[in-house]
Amino acid sequence: MRIGGRGGTRPAPGRTPWPALLLAVPAGLLGVALAWALILPGPLPGEAVVRVAADGVGATALGLAALPRISPRLRTPWRLLAVLAGVWAAAEFAVLVFEAAEVVGVAVTELGAAEFGTYLVDVSGGQVGIAILVGVATVACGSALAFRRPESASADLVLVFAAVALALRPITGHMSQQAFGSVLAAVHALAAGAWFGLLIALALVVRTRGEWAVALPKYSAVALPLVAVVAVTGLLNGLIRVGGIAPFVSTGYGRILLAKTVVLLVLLALGWWWRRSWVPRAADHRMDAKDSLRRAITEVVVMALAFGLAATLAVTA
């Protein structure tokens, strides 16, 4: 049994996961809006909107590229991955524009081409942004080539470039000013991206009860250590950044971090419940594919809320 296909997924008759999976988009924006409310009366970082789009699409691309690592029966949907990489590149370019406008000290609509070019060439943030765009472009081109020649395609190289592109910005973010901050931020971003992206990838690719029976237990085994890494690195990052307990309430950054922690606890509780109820039933072929898909989408939506909070946290001083 092979899951997936030459240029994309093998759809089940009369059903597609796209409409329900798109609920992750408003969930991510809701996370941004909630973070903005927690920042008030401070300035609202508009960059968070494009940042959550870049992070979410990047994580999805990472998950699609990593599917064969979950199980040899899972095949990377190359055409879908190429399209998503294009969207990812556009979102990363938008992030660059917002960052340049912030550095120059003007509104995004007032940023000139010369100022933007100077930011890309002379400022480390711009140089990192170019490196990210090169990595994402490599993912897109590699996926397009793999779609044309699937018999000789390997997801490993695409997976490496997706992981590097996803980790580059956290490495140079505000945590880079702290001891081991860059390492913690990169590991946190990659673990969260893999946890989120792999579940979306399964929802996009897996179609039948038998396929969920193969894929879900393997994802669950991988998700457990990923969750542990996300929790530990997130806690360490937060404690280092805020420097105490009081700032969790007295600062906008701390309040967002506290809200993100609450959502993570909800996800941990949901994951615990799924491991007791969903995973065993799916593994024993006792759960319909639609029910498995519904549970996967529920968790993806809650994760997207956390991504919205995290995106705003990343651009909050």
Side-chain angles (χ1 to χ4, degrees):
M1 177 176 62
R2 299 287 288 182
I3 305 174
R6 176 179 180 271
T9 59
R10 176 171 55 80
R15 178 170 61 86
T16 172
W18 280 104
L21 276 176
L22 287 175
L23 289 173
V25 176
L29 295 177
L30 178 61
V32 172
L34 175 59
W36 281 354
L38 294 172
I39 292 174
L40 292 174
L44 306 181
E47 182 188 343
V49 175
V50 292
R51 183 68 179 264
V52 70
D55 291 347
V57 177
T60 304
L62 181 73
L64 290 172
L67 278 175
R69 292 286 180 173
I70 291 293
S71 171
R73 295 182 177 183
L74 296 171
R75 300 179 63 185
T76 301
W78 293 114
R79 179 166 55 186
L80 175 59
L81 181 52
V83 172
L84 285 176
V87 177
W88 185 10
E92 290 289 356
F93 183 81
V95 170
L96 265 180
V97 172
F98 273 89
E99 288 180 343
E102 182 181 0
V103 169
V104 174
V106 299
V108 173
T109 54
E110 298 175 358
L111 181 68
E115 295 169 326
F116 184 54
T118 300
Y119 172 75
L120 295 180
V121 175
D122 296 337
V123 180
S124 61
Q127 295 165 359
V128 169
I130 292 176
I132 292 172
L133 288 176
V134 170
V136 176
T138 304
V139 173
C141 293
S143 300
L145 290 173
F147 171 67
R148 294 297 180 184
R149 297 181 179 179
E151 66 282 350
S152 59
S154 171
D156 289 344
L157 186 61
V158 173
L159 175 60
V160 168
F161 275 95
V164 170
L166 205 61
L168 271 176
R169 185 165 282 114
I171 287 177
T172 57
H174 53 70
M175 286 304 300
S176 63
Q177 302 172 10
Q178 310 293 335
F180 303 105
S182 294
V183 175
L184 288 173
V187 171
H188 182 80
L190 285 174
W195 181 27
F196 181 62
L198 277 169
L199 189 57
I200 293 182
L202 291 180
L204 288 168
V205 170
V206 178
R207 291 293 180 268
T208 67
R209 179 184 303 183
E211 291 169 353
W212 278 108
V214 172
L216 185 62
K218 294 183 177 181
Y219 167 74
S220 180
V222 171
L224 186 60
L226 288 176
V227 173
V229 170
V230 169
V232 172
T233 55
L235 177 62
L236 291 176
N237 278 339
L239 291 176
I240 292 171
R241 181 69 174 83
V242 300
I245 301 300
F248 279 96
V249 178
S250 61
T251 66
Y253 187 96
R255 290 191 292 270
I256 297 174
L257 189 58
L258 189 59
K260 183 185 170 187
T261 302
V262 171
V263 175
L264 178 60
L265 290 174
V266 171
L267 284 168
L268 289 173
L270 186 61
W272 173 82
W273 178 246
W274 284 161
R275 286 177 68 86
R276 289 175 58 89
S277 58
W278 176 21
V279 177
R281 291 178 60 195
D284 292 339
H285 299 258
R286 291 184 289 114
M287 179 167 288
D288 186 78
K290 290 183 179 180
D291 292 330
S292 287
L293 180 60
R294 189 178 301 114
R295 284 164 172 75
I297 291 172
T298 299
E299 188 165 351
V300 163
V301 168
V302 181
M303 287 181 180
L305 180 66
F307 263 61
L309 290 165
T312 312
L313 194 67
V315 297
T316 300

